[in-house]
Amino acid sequence: MVLIQARFSSLQIHGFIRAKIILIAELSSEIKHIYHREHPPGIKDLRREDLLSLRGNGKGERKTHDRIYDYALYNDLGNPDKDEELARPVLGGEKWPYPRRCRTGRPPTKKDPTCETRIEKPHPVYVPRDETFEEIKQNTFSTGRLKALLHNLIPAITASLSSSDIPFTCFSEIDKLYNDGFILRSEELKEIAQIPFMGNFMKQVLSVSERLLVYDIPAVIKRDRFAWLRDSEFARQTLAGVNPVNIEILKEFPILSKLDHAVYGPPESAITEELIAHELNGMSVEKAIEEKRLFIIDYHDMLLPFIKKMNSLPGRKAYASRTVFFHDQAGILRPIVIELSLPSSPSSPCNKHVYTHGHDATTHWIWKLAKAHVCSNDAGVHQLVNHWLRTHACMETYIIATHRQLSAMHPIYKLLHPHMRYTLEINALARQSLINGGGIIEACFSPGKFAMEISSAAYQNMWRFDMEALPADLVRRGMAVEDPSMPCGVRLVIEDYPYASDGLLIWSAIREYVESYVGHFYSEPNSVTSDIELQAWWNEIKNKGHFDKRSEPWWPKLNTKEDLSGILTTMIWIASGQHAAINFGQYPFGGYMPNRPTLMRKHIPLENENDHERFIQNPQHTFLSSLPTQLQATKIMAAQDTLSTHSPDEEYLGQVSHLHSHWINDHEMVELFNRFSARLEEIEGIINLRNKDARLKNRNGAGVPPYELLLPTSGPGVTGRGIPNSISI
């Protein structure tokens, strides 16, 4: 111990507090003994000193060399000084509740003192220097690939197509993006071409200043060019697509809205029992509900309050949708009824339209348009709620609290360390160019400038930490029932639900590892409640990171090792398996725009409208002109390709780079981690076998792509598989 303290004193002269604490962890093989029993005064003082320096004083603008973690509102998305149209509400507070972000401390804007001035691309946004990309990441991927996309490629696409930002007029024009590509003329593209691993979709032709943008064929149409047209594929993607987390069981009938009836009209859905019964092959609706055969994706209450504002935007025409599915006795899920709603008005107090698939040509095309509108709703909810809010934004609060309250030698810090890698910098880049006012999400998704308001409303009305655990979420949605005899305590209602069945394997492996790890360090009675750093960490997550939800009764207690294991399992699942399942399929499923349009530009033509006759004469033109324009589609495809790509230096679940191996230096913990890694290898084999099982129609069959989003490992690039340890893209 004298040696350790002497080494510390030497390092303190140079001010390397963090290095001193890491040195303690490396020199002592008895971390558990030091941490729980002795607490030498020198170590306690150093830990306290380091944590105080990491917290800062909440004042001043942060500089690139700082290592300060603090909280701020989302007041940096708008830019009112540049353009009043770029003003955005502050997220966080009573009106627009939201998790907190990492504070940067920039001065307020001139036109709105509640908003923070922006650092525009290509200048970097502050993140604590420990969170920035390591050199290999900078050289081979993210600051290269992602920044090149945002700073060079997207502007080049805009410059090349903006003068003729027109709809696709035939499907062959979409096919050309994969076969022929199109020319980008821009000197800025020189930088892109020099970046390693930029991706297969950028191919050099002609000269340095003239390049051809060619997209890879997305997985969803690679095996079956017309799969996206089928109802069965539309339904399959609710269970095995990029957004498999919104389908839920239909528990009762009639379907009722919870919105204010005085504002939004009658609560009853226009989907009647007769309409559903007509699609059930002789089964009654009551019987179908009893046998758990009816399911719904219901975006009515989430989106209807925003539809009027969304439809006021140029080139946006949206509905609030409900889609009912029937799971037949052959195990096939299919959509049977779609309801598309607009806000009520004096002339239309019940402005709801119901569609079924039908068999004649006109009904068939209208059904396609209805499904496309559902997909555009789904794409927005996926991106703004399930992807950004529930993984990126929420994980940021956990990371900030971990650095502020847990010293680098704390065993829970060491457990969480691999799952925090790069997230703050990725999020800072997103706030700068993806979710900001006028950014890619606003330009290419239905909600437009109201996108983050919808995300905030979802946080207020839906988000709760205890339901972010996979088994709890499945039970809440009625997609599973509690069953103590099953490994995770739940049994799936639809056995062939690839996201859930594979996810439960990953969840159980994480839980087993975490429980053993926590049990090792917290074996004594009251060891969790007496851990001052740990209790401060959890209190800060609830009371600062999620300030707007601080009084909710559902927050888990932190009194026992079981409580701690549950909290940590949820966090690690969110950072790894959950993010992988809803991120790395973005290009494989969304890269073919007709399969998953991110916005719709026209309402479905009604019989008494002028557009209806044009629709009858040329339904294909109506369909294609309702989808995103060529510019919008090309921009979002480029973004999806980048966001679906694994870095060559990725660290996957069950793996730790040799650069970070010092975080696990206890022999018993190394053995425990090795068992975790071995279990993940077994799971990979199980998933591969499932994908070959002909009985599982949602992951096997003619032209059906296997479900691989929860396979633990991957190579670099757009692979549609692999679970990184952290949200690193």
Side-chain angles (χ1 to χ4, degrees), residues 83-98:
D83 189 331
E84 289 185 3
E85 285 296 310
L86 294 177
R88 297 293 180 269
V90 174
L91 302 188
E94 186 175 351
K95 184 175 182 181
W96 297 112
Y98 216 63

Side-chain angles (χ1 to χ4, degrees), residues 361-604:
T362 301
T363 308
H364 180 72
W365 271 104
I366 290 178
W367 178 245
K368 280 185 188 177
L369 286 167
K371 288 195 297 181
H373 275 282
V374 171
C375 287
S376 70
N377 279 184
D378 194 70
V381 172
H382 163 259
Q383 198 66 256
L384 298 167
V385 179
N386 300 327
H387 184 208
W388 174 259
L389 168 64
R390 294 176 63 188
T391 65
H392 283 261
C394 287
M395 200 66 205
E396 183 157 348
T397 65
Y398 312 146
I399 292 169
I400 296 170
T402 299
H403 284 286
R404 286 169 55 88
Q405 298 297 340
L406 300 181
S407 71
M409 70 175 293
H410 194 288
I412 301 308
Y413 181 101
K414 293 160 74 70
L415 175 68
L416 289 176
H417 182 263
H419 306 289
M420 304 188 293
R421 186 178 184 233
Y422 296 154
T423 302
L424 292 192
E425 179 141 1
I426 284 295
N427 286 3
L429 283 170
R431 286 191 292 271
Q432 188 178 43
S433 299
L434 288 174
I435 64 170
N436 60 300
I440 293 175
I441 300 301
E442 286 194 1
C444 300
F445 284 77
S446 282
K449 68 179 184 179
F450 306 107
M452 293 303 289
E453 293 180 23
I454 290 175
S455 191
S456 170
Y459 177 69
Q460 180 177 33
N461 298 323
M462 298 170 53
W463 187 88
R464 43 187 290 177
F465 181 88
D466 61 329
M467 292 293 113
E468 293 301 288
L470 177 60
D473 175 62
L474 292 170
V475 171
R476 172 175 62 171
R477 291 189 283 122
M479 300 304 293
V481 295
E482 294 182 357
D483 185 344
S485 68
M486 301 298 287
C488 290
V490 297
R491 175 172 49 81
L492 294 178
V493 171
I494 297 179
E495 182 182 354
D496 188 11
Y497 184 2
Y499 158 77
S501 57
D502 292 359
L504 288 171
L505 290 175
I506 301 297
W507 171 273
S508 63
I510 295 171
R511 185 187 62 181
E512 182 180 351
Y513 170 56
V514 169
E515 287 177 346
S516 299
Y517 186 99
V518 168
H520 177 75
F521 289 101
Y522 293 90
S523 57
E524 297 178 2
N526 303 319
S527 55
V528 170
T529 54
S530 63
D531 187 331
I532 297 173
E533 286 185 14
L534 189 66
Q535 293 297 326
W537 167 78
W538 185 234
N539 285 332
E540 181 159 299
I541 286 171
K542 294 183 293 183
N543 296 315
K544 290 189 176 181
H546 288 278
F547 180 83
D548 303 323
K549 294 271 191 175
R550 64 193 182 282
S551 301
E552 296 288 352
W554 41 252
W555 283 105
K557 305 295 183 184
L558 183 54
N559 297 326
T560 67
K561 63 182 180 181
E562 290 78 16
D563 296 338
L564 178 57
S565 296
I567 290 166
L568 293 171
T569 300
T570 297
M571 289 181 179
I572 293 172
W573 161 253
I574 290 168
S576 57
Q578 180 68 5
H579 180 258
I582 59 179
N583 180 73
F584 293 104
Q586 288 190 77
Y587 186 79
F589 286 97
Y592 186 68
M593 189 57 67
N595 178 64
R596 192 170 176 78
T598 55
L599 62 84
M600 295 294 282
R601 300 191 305 120
K602 293 181 179 180
H603 283 140
I604 297 175

Side-chain angles (χ1 to χ4, degrees), residues 13-276:
I13 295 173
H14 303 287
F16 296 130
I17 298 174
R18 183 184 181 87
K20 292 184 293 184
I21 291 180
I22 292 174
L23 183 60
I24 289 181
E26 290 177 333
L27 291 177
S28 175
S29 61
E30 296 294 333
I31 297 297
K32 183 179 179 182
H33 183 62
I34 290 176
Y35 178 72
H36 281 298
R37 296 181 177 85
E38 292 185 1
H39 289 291
I43 292 179
K44 292 174 68 174
D45 291 344
L46 288 167
R47 291 169 66 157
R48 188 181 306 110
E49 181 183 352
D50 187 44
L51 289 174
L52 287 173
S53 72
L54 290 170
R55 293 171 196 162
N57 60 9
K59 300 177 181 179
E61 182 175 355
R62 300 275 62 86
K63 307 301 181 184
T64 55
H65 59 270
D66 285 337
R67 291 179 56 244
I68 295 176
Y69 298 79
D70 201 359
Y71 301 97
L73 303 170
Y74 273 66
N75 63 351
D76 62 338
L77 301 180
N79 194 348
D81 287 350
K82 182 177 181 180
D83 189 331
E84 289 185 3
E85 285 296 310
L86 294 177
R88 297 293 180 269
V90 174
L91 302 188
E94 186 175 351
K95 184 175 182 181
W96 297 112
Y98 216 63
R100 299 308 191 251
R101 65 174 176 94
C102 187
R103 181 182 178 276
T104 53
R106 297 190 297 270
T109 61
K110 295 177 182 178
K111 292 187 176 179
D112 185 352
T114 67
C115 291
E116 187 175 86
T117 53
R118 287 179 53 77
I119 299 293
E120 298 293 356
K121 57 188 182 183
H123 304 292
V125 178
Y126 168 79
V127 293
R129 68 173 188 263
D130 293 342
E131 307 306 311
T132 58
F133 298 134
E134 296 167 10
E135 185 175 359
I136 184 172
K137 181 93 167 178
Q138 292 181 6
N139 290 341
T140 63
F141 182 61
S142 279
T143 51
R145 182 178 171 89
L146 187 56
K147 287 186 176 178
L149 170 85
L150 300 175
H151 305 160
N152 301 93
L153 181 55
I154 293 298
I157 290 173
T158 303
S160 297
L161 293 179
S162 60
S163 60
S164 59
D165 185 17
I166 58 175
F168 294 104
T169 58
C170 59
F171 286 99
S172 61
E173 289 181 344
I174 302 175
D175 295 338
K176 285 181 179 179
L177 295 173
Y178 317 112
N179 301 325
D180 301 333
F182 63 90
I183 298 295
L184 293 178
R185 298 175 178 85
S186 173
E187 287 292 330
E188 294 175 325
L189 294 177
K190 291 179 182 178
E191 179 183 339
I192 298 176
Q194 296 169 0
I195 295 170
F197 304 101
M198 188 56 210
N200 293 331
F201 73 88
M202 279 300 297
K203 295 181 170 61
Q204 180 177 348
V205 297
L206 303 177
S207 66
V208 172
S209 62
E210 197 169 58
R211 303 193 182 282
L212 183 66
L213 180 63
V214 180
Y215 290 95
D216 287 342
I217 298 174
V220 73
I221 60 167
K222 198 165 191 177
R223 295 184 177 206
D224 185 346
R225 171 68 177 75
F226 302 104
W228 67 278
L229 288 167
R230 294 196 298 270
D231 285 356
S232 59
E233 178 61 18
F234 175 84
R236 189 188 74 85
Q237 290 181 33
T238 69
L239 302 172
V242 69
N243 188 40
V245 297
N246 281 108
I247 188 169
E248 56 187 312
I249 201 161
L250 183 60
K251 297 179 180 178
E252 56 187 8
F253 205 86
I255 303 167
L256 299 175
S257 170
K258 296 179 181 178
L259 297 174
D260 186 346
H261 309 162
V263 177
Y264 298 103
E268 293 84 7
S269 167
I271 300 175
T272 64
E273 188 169 351
E274 291 74 22
L275 274 171
I276 293 180

Side-chain angles (χ1 to χ4, degrees), residues 694-714:
R695 296 170 299 174
L696 301 177
K697 305 299 183 184
N698 290 323
R699 60 201 310 159
N700 183 284
V704 176
Y707 186 77
E708 298 181 329
L709 288 170
L710 285 169
L711 281 173
T713 61
S714 173

